[in-house]
Amino acid sequence: MEQNKNDIELQESYSDQQKWVLDSSLDSRGEIPVRARTGAWRAALFIIAIEFSERLSYFGISTSLVVYLTTILHQDLKMAVRNANYWSGVTTLMPLLGGFVADAYIGRYATVLLATIIYLMNKNDIELQESYSDQQKWVLDSSLDSRGEIPVRARTGAWRAALFIIAIEYSERLSYFGISTSLVVYLTTILHQDLKMAVRNANYWSGVTTLMPLLGGFVADAYIGRYATVLLATIIYLMGLILLTLSWFIPGLKPCHEEVCVEPRKAHEIAFFIAIYLISIGTGGHKPSLESFGADQFEDDHPEERKMKMSYFNWWSAGLCAGVLTAVTIVVYIEDHIGWGVAGIILTVVMATSLLIFLIGKPFYRYRAPSGSPLTPMLQVFVAAIAKRHLPRPNDSSLLHELSREEYTKGRFLSRTEKLKFLDKAAIIENRESENAMVEKESPWKLATVTKVEELKLLINMIPIWFFTLAFGICATQSTTFFMKQAIIMDRHIGHSFIVPPSSMFALVALSMAISVTIYEKTLVPFSRRITRKERGISILQRIGTGMVFSLLGMIIAALVESKRLDYTKQHHMPMSAIWLAPQFLVIGIADAFTLVGLQEYFYDQVPDSMRSLGIGLYLSVVGAASFVNNLLMTVTDRLAEEISGKSLFGKDLNSSRLDRFYWTLAALTAANICFFVFVARRYTYKSVQSSVAVADGGDDVETPSTANTSKYT
């Protein structure tokens, strides 16, 4: 009987356990849950679903957090990783508090409900995706498209636009080097000038041609814009090419009446110099505006396009080299064997075709409106700093005047640096009690922003860099002057019948430069990035300095080869093979790949954003000023040689000259210059940028809020 009673109780207990959940749980009405209606998978699936959505949101933010901090908020990598780690740490420690509250006070269901509401109240994940989506779709750097609207990233700029620009650069370099590499030859053979006069005239023309971009860059940045400047300059360039071509076909402008003449017509000489100086003016507008216009097609604040821009200057130089190679092989051969007039026709047609290609690319370009004279704000900083020279310089940057992000609608903020501290006084607010009212009324000649002060510092810091790259420019000019003259009097035979035109020797420079740029871009940059962990690999100034070392090596080789040539000519009474010139041409090409391309990037990247065309003009002025300094150096060394030995370094021809001694002089100057350059470069401070992203709409800039951190570009 007792056994039956136990069996019945056991069966009832088992039945209750199957029907009810007897583990202290309650259902939504606060009663004992019915097993068949609550819990198990029918409830767990809802919970797994909300876990899925929470993890979707969490990892949608966490995996993109460093990207967001570096690209949208423009924090440097160290700061971004640190902030991401702080957030991750807080996020994974907060469950300790949440679990305690759930277990002790409000229960798990209420805690999940409350936490989900807080989660939903925070729309950062949505804003992040929308902001990132906007940055991917639109170009938010004050650029405009051809219709004056905000450019769509997928349709404008980047390589789709840059390729049109590189194409016109190819044709311009084809024309320029078709003239410049043969200029000494033309002056000595057609105009019958002696070597010294021909080299001097070539240097004057080269100097004017490479200094004119300072004017062209200023006009482009301040008044008419880069696109319009390129168009105007190309038309002037074409006028020069047309006049140069006509001087060989119009009877009154031809060099001579007969096949052979002792002295050319004055009319031809005048037409020739007018033509080449028209080309100088065209180059002055073309070079700085076109190169900076090409770089404008890549947005600085977009990580992918910023990397593309670093490659752009290398591929720009590759296109340049392709134009040079074509000029010094095909065009120079036509000049030597068919006629200068025919070569002029070809150059004119190519330039006109490239202008048409440039116009076809108009819908794909991104444009920047001119911002007025960039020099006026620089002068205002000087005036304001001098007026406040008696005031103490504050150590706290917050005590200096800077516009708010709502007021600053163009360009990027620059961070305060510790160099040239005197200029910081221009940003001191004298009456801080009524600061807001005073700042609004204050003249820019009395109060400058920190950004304007730092822009002036940038320009001042560039002066020693510009000065100490002149020695490289002097070495580079030898490849189109004395190197060419050496090639003229040396044996250029290939086989028994074919003679290489002297100007075609410059093809070695272009070929060497093109190969070196490609190796640098594809091999050295990825390798140095792994070593230095910097986006650029090696710094810009390190690249420039490397090229200067190669230019020194080039001058040493040139001196040794010329010394050997003089000895060989005296002993054998016959010209030495021109193949001996190959090493000096090749080494100068390697130097150009490092220093010339580095200078392009340096002067574009480190000048104030409003002066980028002028920055390219500064780069070109290195070679221009070097041409004039080269003439001065020739005069000084020649007079010193006459006083010491009684014999000139530069005779009527190369066999009566001592060009090797001139090369040794250049090598010594370059070696000393490298030491000074390294000293200055080690103390140089790169531009420190805080980005302020502006959105352009029909020409009016509307700022998009952006929080930025200081970052250094090296």
Side-chain angles (χ1 to χ4, degrees):
M1 200 67 180
E2 186 69 29
Q3 180 67 34
N4 289 338
K5 186 178 179 181
N6 288 338
D7 289 344
I8 293 169
E9 288 177 356
L10 183 65
Q11 289 174 5
E12 288 177 353
S13 174
Y14 183 76
S15 177
D16 286 345
Q17 191 180 31
Q18 291 300 310
K19 183 177 181 180
W20 307 99
V21 180
L22 305 175
D23 62 353
S24 303
S25 297
L26 299 173
D27 64 13
S28 58
R29 294 171 296 179
E31 299 175 354
I32 300 173
V34 178
R35 188 179 303 279
R37 299 175 187 170
T38 61
W41 284 113
R42 70 180 64 82
L45 290 175
F46 289 99
I47 296 167
I48 291 171
I50 196 170
E51 171 65 9
F52 169 81
S53 64
E54 189 276 335
R55 291 292 89 181
L56 177 68
S57 300
Y58 175 81
F59 282 100
I61 297 169
S62 64
T63 55
S64 301
L65 186 57
V66 172
V67 176
Y68 188 90
L69 293 171
T70 54
T71 60
I72 307 300
L73 302 189
H74 303 284
Q75 296 183 355
D76 59 39
L77 182 59
K78 187 176 180 181
M79 178 64 74
V81 171
R82 184 172 291 163
N83 282 333
N85 285 334
Y86 285 149
W87 178 80
S88 178
V90 170
T91 305
T92 48
L93 286 175
M94 281 299 292
L96 291 174
L97 176 62
F100 176 77
V101 171
D103 288 341
Y105 298 107
I106 63 174
R108 291 161 197 163
Y109 176 80
T111 303
V112 170
L113 188 62
L114 179 62
T116 304
I117 292 170
I118 294 172
Y119 216 122
L120 286 171
M121 288 170 63
N122 187 349
K123 297 181 180 180
N124 282 345
D125 56 333
I126 299 172
E127 291 175 0
L128 185 151
Q129 292 171 10
E130 289 178 350
S131 176
Y132 188 74
S133 176
D134 283 346
Q135 194 193 32
Q136 293 301 312
K137 184 176 182 181
W138 306 100
V139 180
L140 307 175
D141 65 349
S142 301
S143 296
L144 302 170
D145 63 14
S146 57
R147 295 171 297 178
E149 299 174 354
I150 303 171
V152 178
R153 191 179 303 282
R155 298 176 192 167
T156 62
W159 288 115
R160 72 182 60 80
L163 290 176
F164 287 97
I165 295 165
I166 290 174
I168 194 171
E169 170 65 7
Y170 165 84
S171 65
E172 190 275 333
R173 291 293 88 181
L174 175 70
S175 300
Y176 177 80
F177 278 95
I179 296 167
S180 66
T181 53
S182 300
L183 187 56
V184 171
V185 177
Y186 194 95
L187 293 171
T188 53
T189 58
I190 307 298
L191 300 188
H192 301 287
Q193 294 182 356
D194 60 40
L195 176 62
K196 193 173 181 179
M197 178 63 73
V199 170
R200 186 163 286 162
N201 279 332
N203 282 333
Y204 284 145
W205 179 76
S206 176
V208 170
T209 304
T210 46
L211 285 176
M212 280 299 292
L214 290 173
L215 176 61
F218 176 78
V219 171
D221 285 339
Y223 300 111
I224 64 175
R226 290 159 194 165
Y227 178 79
T229 304
V230 172
L231 283 182
L232 179 61
T234 305
I235 292 170
I236 296 172
Y237 209 121
L238 271 172
M239 290 168 59
L241 288 173
I242 291 169
L243 178 58
L244 190 63
T245 304
L246 292 178
S247 70
W248 278 88
F249 291 101
I250 295 177
L253 295 179
K254 285 185 175 182
C256 297
H257 294 286
E258 299 86 12
E259 287 287 328
V260 180
C261 64
V262 178
E263 189 175 346
R265 282 178 174 172
K266 200 69 177 175
H268 177 80
E269 195 170 342
I270 293 170
F272 174 78
F273 279 107
I274 290 174
I276 64 172
Y277 277 98
L278 277 174
I279 290 170
S280 286
I281 296 170
T283 303
H286 198 282
K287 281 294 290 178
S289 305
L290 188 67
E291 187 166 357
S292 55
F293 185 58
D296 287 346
Q297 306 308 309
F298 304 91
E299 186 185 355
D300 283 317
D301 293 327
H302 190 271
E304 292 179 11
E305 291 194 8
R306 186 169 65 248
K307 283 188 177 180
M308 290 179 191
K309 181 181 282 191
M310 293 176 190
S311 297
Y312 162 75
F313 288 102
N314 290 324
W315 292 116
W316 167 275
S317 299
L320 180 153
C321 290
V324 174
L325 273 172
T326 309
V328 298
T329 51
I330 298 172
V331 174
V332 166
Y333 181 84
I334 292 170
E335 289 171 347
D336 273 16
H337 294 83
I338 300 176
W340 294 85
V342 175
I345 291 173
I346 293 171
L347 296 179
T348 304
V349 170
V350 170
M351 181 57 75
T353 305
S354 71
L355 176 59
L356 181 62
I357 292 171
F358 183 68
L359 291 171
I360 290 172
K362 185 178 180 180
F364 302 102
Y365 301 141
R366 298 172 187 169
Y367 306 83
R368 289 179 185 268
S371 55
S373 173
L375 301 180
T376 302
M378 308 294 127
L379 184 58
Q380 288 171 342
V381 172
F382 263 125
V383 172
I386 293 171
K388 298 176 184 177
R389 62 189 180 277
H390 61 282
L391 297 178
R393 175 183 177 270
N395 293 321
D396 186 358
S397 297
S398 64
L399 299 177
L400 300 177
H401 174 49
E402 184 59 280
L403 296 177
S404 66
R405 296 198 176 275
E406 289 72 23
E407 296 171 300
Y408 199 75
T409 56
K410 271 192 177 181
R412 299 178 291 176
F413 286 110
L414 297 183
S415 299
R416 181 190 184 189
T417 59
E418 293 301 312
K419 292 191 174 182
L420 300 170
K421 297 179 181 179
F422 169 76
L423 295 175
D424 290 342
K425 295 184 178 183
I428 295 175
I429 303 171
E430 294 186 85
N431 188 355
R432 300 202 63 84
E433 293 179 1
S434 55
E435 179 180 334
N436 293 334
M438 287 294 297
V439 166
E440 289 178 5
K441 297 178 181 178
E442 199 76 75
S443 165
W445 294 94
K446 295 181 180 179
L447 180 65
T449 64
V450 171
T451 293
K452 293 302 178 186
V453 170
E454 291 302 320
E455 286 180 345
L456 178 57
K457 289 183 183 181
L458 285 175
L459 292 181
I460 295 174
N461 286 332
M462 282 182 171
I463 294 173
I465 299 295
W466 182 91
F467 181 78
F468 288 118
T469 52
L470 286 178
F472 166 81
I474 295 171
C475 295
T477 59
Q478 308 310 312
S479 61
T480 55
T481 53
F482 282 126
F483 284 14
M484 290 294 109
K485 195 59 183 177
Q486 284 177 284
I488 291 173
I489 65 170
M490 295 176 77
D491 182 10
R492 305 184 310 278
H493 281 85
I494 296 179
H496 296 289
S497 57
F498 184 76
I499 301 176
V500 177
S503 300
S504 293
M505 294 294 293
F506 194 81
L508 295 172
V509 174
L511 191 62
S512 174
M513 184 178 178
I515 293 172
S516 299
V517 165
T518 305
I519 293 173
Y520 179 84
E521 172 69 19
K522 296 299 183 181
T523 305
L524 293 181
V525 169
F527 177 75
S528 59
R529 277 175 180 165
R530 287 196 296 270
I531 299 297
T532 64
R533 302 195 180 280
K534 293 180 180 178
E535 193 174 34
R536 217 182 273 279
I538 62 173
S539 71
I540 304 175
L541 293 181
Q542 286 172 339
R543 180 176 187 171
I544 292 170
T546 303
M548 293 172 72
V549 173
F550 277 104
S551 70
L552 168 61
L553 182 60
M555 290 301 99
I556 293 173
I557 293 171
L560 294 172
V561 169
E562 177 61 11
S563 180
K564 181 174 178 60
R565 187 195 69 79
L566 289 171
D567 292 341
Y568 185 90
T569 303
K570 288 178 183 177
Q571 291 176 11
H572 299 86
H573 303 287
M574 59 184 295
M576 190 170 74
S577 173
I579 197 68
W580 282 90
L581 295 176
Q584 64 199 59
F585 277 107
L586 291 171
V587 172
I588 288 295
I590 297 171
D592 286 351
F594 281 92
T595 299
L596 277 186
V597 180
L599 285 171
Q600 291 172 26
E601 195 171 357
Y602 171 77
F603 282 109
Y604 178 87
D605 186 74
Q606 294 298 305
V607 295
D609 291 354
S610 61
M611 297 178 62
R612 283 181 158 172
S613 294
L614 193 56
I616 297 298
L618 286 169
Y619 138 68
L620 293 167
S621 72
V622 169
V623 180
S627 297
F628 289 110
V629 175
N630 188 43
N631 277 351
L632 178 62
L633 196 59
M634 286 172 59
T635 302
V636 171
T637 53
D638 196 29
R639 288 182 180 176
L640 285 174
E642 286 180 345
E643 290 180 6
I644 294 170
S645 64
K647 187 178 179 181
S648 173
L649 280 182
F650 308 103
K652 290 186 177 181
D653 55 46
L654 278 186
N655 290 333
S656 61
S657 303
R658 289 308 305 262
L659 191 58
D660 56 329
R661 293 178 181 173
F662 182 66
Y663 287 149
W664 281 119
T665 303
L666 292 183
L669 288 174
T670 303
N673 181 80
I674 289 172
C675 297
F676 287 108
F677 177 82
V678 170
F679 178 81
V680 171
R682 286 174 65 87
R683 287 156 180 78
Y684 183 81
T685 302
Y686 289 91
K687 182 195 285 186
S688 187
V689 178
Q690 296 184 36
S691 179
S692 175
V693 181
V695 181
D697 184 9
D700 296 321
D701 292 332
V702 182
E703 189 180 85
T704 298
S706 172
T707 305
N709 223 16
T710 300
S711 61
K712 284 192 177 182
Y713 296 91
T714 53

